[in-house]
């Protein structure tokens, strides 16, 4: 049995931000993560040293002030998403795809220099490596007058304060809490959407950016026909490694990886020809298959439903259990900015 003043559940962006803030404040903590990696819904794939493919969070805007401020504090840059000014647009299956001019965008999107993973790696590098434990799922919390007993797959901890950074639906589905949490909280958490939890991201690395060549339509794709609904140029900031990355209709989660890859290639061949088959690597993130992100809902929930609900700002287990995570943030819930805000807010309560 290990004793700690504060135990943070989940080493996603919220958990790592909270840990970083506690570290700066000189307050001890332990961060327990179920997966064998940090980052949660931030996942950058770097196979073969090619372009870093974001299989999770990718874009931010200038409006995401807390996120931008933390990135700048850590010395991490951002760069504008390339659109090329044009897009391939497929309105209906009975009409051929068209190339359309994109209107001027007053609020461009930005990507994190070096990949979103740089952000979480940098946060982790600031805290003691002994305060992070990976591959250890939290299973149960039991409130007592003096501490919370935390049972994980590997042991038992006594913590003065426990911070959950799991999406509320996941937290209340997977972690058994006693005494039981109030039914109002359970009902709302069970109907709180986990942002992007159902999504499928696909990416293809290429040796050359054929979509950027003279006369080529560019790498921006919007399709109502699918199966890829949106795709973007995913070249690195140095413009030396090339990729296309987009979203696949989430209904295809039950197909095999090869079936999804073939569907993506078939669609891209329509726009660019056989050159799409010369890919160096195909990568995908099927988030619905990730048990530490997604659990099925008992009833239909709408995107962002109940995100930022005030009930998540109450404390539980006699003030010893605090709820955090991007979906609990009041501002930009579900996004990286919400995760940073939530991590900072909860660290101040400890
Ligand atoms: C495909 C996709 C695309 C996205 N695109 C964008 C984007 O472009 N811009 C943007 O701003 N946001 C985007 N997001 C959302 C963004 O990723 C999240 O808002 C943010 O990463 C959430 O961080 P978090 O720490 O709150 O939650 P999570 O990242 O979900 O972290 C929770 C952590 O808890 C861990 N965990 C789960 N169960 C247990 C357990 N029982 N015990 C211990 N640990 C556990 C998980 O493994 C995880 O590490 C995207 C998300 C996805 C999936």
């Amino acid at each position: 049995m290990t004793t700690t003043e504060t135990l943070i559940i989940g080493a996603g962006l919220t958990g790592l931000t909270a840990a970083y803030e506690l570290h700066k404040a000189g307050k001890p903590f332990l961060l327990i993560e179920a997966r064998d990696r940090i980052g949660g819904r931030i996942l950058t794939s770097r196979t073969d040293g090619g372009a870093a493919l974001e299989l999770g969070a990718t874009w931010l805007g200038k409006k995401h002030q807390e996120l931008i401020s933390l990135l700048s504090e850590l010395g991490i840059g951002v760069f504008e998403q390339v659109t090329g000014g044009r897009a391939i647009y497929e309105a209906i299956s009975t009409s051929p795809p068209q190339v359309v001019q994109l209107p001027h965008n007053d609020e461009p999107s930005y990507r994190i220099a070096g990949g979103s993973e740089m952000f979480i790696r940098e946060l982790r590098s600031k805290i003691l490596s002994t305060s992070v434990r990976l591959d250890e799922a939290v299973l149960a919390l039991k409130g007592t007058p003096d501490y919370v007993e935390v049972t994980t797959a590997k042991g038992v901890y006594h913590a003065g304060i426990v911070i959950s950074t799991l999406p509320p639906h996941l937290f209340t589905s997977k972690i058994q809490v006693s005494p039981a949490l109030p039914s109002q909280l359970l009902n709302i958490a069970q109907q709180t959407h986990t942002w992007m939890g159902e999504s499928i991201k696909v990416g293809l690395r290429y040796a050359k950016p054929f979509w950027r060549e003279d006369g080529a339509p560019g790498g921006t794709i919007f399709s109502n026909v699918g199966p890829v609904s949106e795709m973007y140029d995913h070249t690195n900031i140095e413009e030396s490694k090339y990729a296309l990355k987009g979203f696949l209709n989430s209904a295809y989660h039950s197909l095999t990886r090869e079936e999804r890859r073939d569907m993506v290639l078939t669609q891209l061949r329509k726009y660019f020809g056989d050159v799409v088959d010369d890919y160096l690597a195909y990568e995908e993130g099927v988030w619905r298959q990730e048990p530490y992100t997604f659990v099925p809902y008992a009833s239909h929930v709408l995107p962002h439903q109940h995100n930022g609900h005030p009930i998540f700002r109450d404390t539980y287990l006699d003030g010893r259990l605090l709820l955090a995570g991007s979906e609990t943030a009041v501002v930009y819930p579900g996004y990286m900015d919400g995760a940073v805000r939530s991590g900072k807010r909860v660290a101040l309560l400890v």
Side-chain angles (χ1 to χ4, degrees), residues 278-291:
D278 299 333
Y279 64 91
L280 301 173
Y282 165 79
E283 300 275 348
E284 59 174 29
V286 185
W287 289 90
R288 213 187 163 100
Q289 294 175 354
E290 295 280 330

Side-chain angles (χ1 to χ4, degrees), residues 9-16 32-35 37-42 55-60 64 67 136-139 165-167 170 174-175 194-197 199-201 247 285 287 291-293 324-327 333-339 342:
I9 312 175
L13 183 53
T14 301
L16 287 164
I32 310 279
E33 166 58 49
R35 286 177 165 107
R37 62 168 181 86
I38 58 167
R41 279 174 280 168
I42 294 179
L55 302 179
T58 311
W59 295 283
L60 58 128
H64 294 142
L67 174 62
E136 184 168 353
V138 171
L139 306 174
T165 71
L166 274 54
L170 185 68
K174 288 286 192 74
I175 298 186
T194 302
W195 183 233
M196 304 300 279
S199 64
I200 304 177
K201 274 217 170 161
F247 294 93
W287 289 90
Y292 295 119
T293 295
S326 185
E327 278 70 18
Y335 297 91
M336 289 188 281
D337 188 71
S342 162

Side-chain angles (χ1 to χ4, degrees), residues 57-287:
T58 311
W59 295 283
L60 58 128
K62 285 271 157 76
K63 62 191 176 191
H64 294 142
Q65 283 301 314
E66 287 293 330
L67 174 62
I68 287 172
S69 140
L70 185 54
L71 285 167
S72 138
E73 182 176 327
L74 297 169
I76 300 172
V78 298
F79 65 111
E80 196 171 322
Q81 170 65 51
V82 169
T83 62
R86 302 197 298 170
I88 294 166
Y89 175 58
E90 256 186 317
I92 45 171
S93 58
T94 47
S95 297
Q98 303 163 16
V99 176
V100 295
Q101 289 295 321
L102 290 170
H104 174 72
N105 187 357
D106 288 332
E107 287 192 38
S109 294
Y110 295 83
R111 292 167 53 198
I112 294 175
S116 305
E117 178 199 51
M118 288 302 288
F119 191 19
I120 50 164
R121 272 212 236 161
E122 202 54 34
L123 280 170
R124 181 176 179 166
S125 75
K126 303 286 183 211
I127 58 182
L128 291 176
S129 57
T130 47
S131 21
V132 184
R133 299 197 180 176
L134 299 181
D135 212 4
E136 184 168 353
V138 171
L139 306 174
L141 307 178
K142 185 174 164 193
T144 77
D146 303 318
Y147 53 83
V148 179
E149 184 180 277
V150 181
T151 304
T152 73
K154 291 184 176 170
V156 174
Y157 299 80
H158 288 180
I161 298 277
V162 170
I163 300 171
S164 167
T165 71
L166 274 54
H169 177 54
L170 185 68
F171 174 64
T172 51
S173 304
K174 288 286 192 74
I175 298 186
Q176 195 192 334
V177 183
S178 64
L181 292 169
S183 55
Q184 202 197 352
L185 171 66
L186 293 176
N187 288 338
I188 287 167
Q190 282 296 301
Q191 295 166 41
T192 300
H193 184 242
T194 302
W195 183 233
M196 304 300 279
E198 302 86 350
S199 64
I200 304 177
K201 274 217 170 161
V202 291
L204 290 150
R205 294 196 182 84
Y206 288 97
K208 289 186 183 153
F210 53 82
W211 57 92
R212 288 184 173 200
E213 282 167 7
D214 280 350
T220 307
I221 298 163
F222 298 111
S223 173
N224 296 333
V225 180
V228 175
S229 55
E230 291 172 45
M231 199 162 234
Y232 302 94
D233 187 322
H234 210 58
T235 300
N236 64 350
I237 184 171
E238 296 84 6
E239 308 226 325
S240 58
K241 294 176 178 176
Y242 311 104
L244 291 170
K245 203 258 333 243
F247 294 93
L248 190 71
N249 184 323
S250 61
Y252 296 114
H253 67 93
S254 54
L255 300 186
T256 65
R257 177 187 163 89
E258 287 68 33
E259 285 168 332
R260 281 188 292 268
R261 181 202 58 202
D262 292 349
M263 290 174 85
V264 172
L265 289 170
T266 301
Q267 183 176 348
L268 294 183
R269 233 176 268 126
K270 271 196 296 188
Y271 315 139
F272 302 109
D274 292 345
V275 67
V276 301
D277 295 318
D278 299 333
Y279 64 91
L280 301 173
Y282 165 79
E283 300 275 348
E284 59 174 29
V286 185
W287 289 90

